[in-house]
Short mmCIF file of all heavy atoms in Angstrom, two decimals:
data_model
loop_
_atom_site.label_atom_id
_atom_site.label_comp_id
_atom_site.label_asym_id
_atom_site.label_seq_id
_atom_site.Cartn_x
_atom_site.Cartn_y
_atom_site.Cartn_z
N ALA A 55 -12.02 5.29 1.82
CA ALA A 55 -12.23 4.62 0.52
C ALA A 55 -12.22 5.64 -0.61
O ALA A 55 -11.63 5.40 -1.67
CB ALA A 55 -13.54 3.84 0.53
N ILE A 165 -6.70 -5.64 15.99
CA ILE A 165 -6.77 -6.47 14.79
C ILE A 165 -8.03 -7.33 14.81
O ILE A 165 -8.73 -7.45 13.80
CB ILE A 165 -5.50 -7.34 14.68
CG1 ILE A 165 -4.28 -6.46 14.34
CG2 ILE A 165 -5.66 -8.44 13.63
CD1 ILE A 165 -2.95 -7.18 14.46
N VAL A 177 -0.58 -7.38 7.88
CA VAL A 177 0.52 -7.38 8.85
C VAL A 177 1.71 -8.06 8.19
O VAL A 177 1.56 -9.11 7.55
CB VAL A 177 0.14 -8.12 10.15
CG1 VAL A 177 1.34 -8.18 11.10
CG2 VAL A 177 -1.05 -7.45 10.83
N GLU A 236 23.50 -2.49 6.60
CA GLU A 236 22.87 -3.16 7.74
C GLU A 236 23.11 -4.67 7.69
O GLU A 236 23.36 -5.30 8.72
CB GLU A 236 21.37 -2.86 7.77
CG GLU A 236 20.68 -3.43 8.99
CD GLU A 236 19.22 -3.00 9.10
OE1 GLU A 236 18.80 -2.09 8.37
OE2 GLU A 236 18.52 -3.58 9.95
N ILE A 237 23.04 -5.25 6.49
CA ILE A 237 23.28 -6.68 6.34
C ILE A 237 24.72 -7.02 6.73
O ILE A 237 24.97 -8.00 7.45
CB ILE A 237 23.01 -7.14 4.89
CG1 ILE A 237 21.55 -6.90 4.51
CG2 ILE A 237 23.35 -8.62 4.73
CD1 ILE A 237 21.27 -7.11 3.03
N GLU A 242 28.67 -9.33 10.58
CA GLU A 242 29.91 -9.15 11.35
C GLU A 242 29.65 -8.97 12.84
O GLU A 242 30.55 -8.65 13.61
CB GLU A 242 30.68 -7.95 10.80
CG GLU A 242 31.18 -8.15 9.37
CD GLU A 242 31.99 -6.97 8.85
OE1 GLU A 242 31.82 -5.86 9.39
OE2 GLU A 242 32.80 -7.16 7.92
#
Side-chain angles (χ1 to χ4, degrees):
I165 289 170
V177 176
E236 185 173 349
I237 299 170
E242 295 182 338

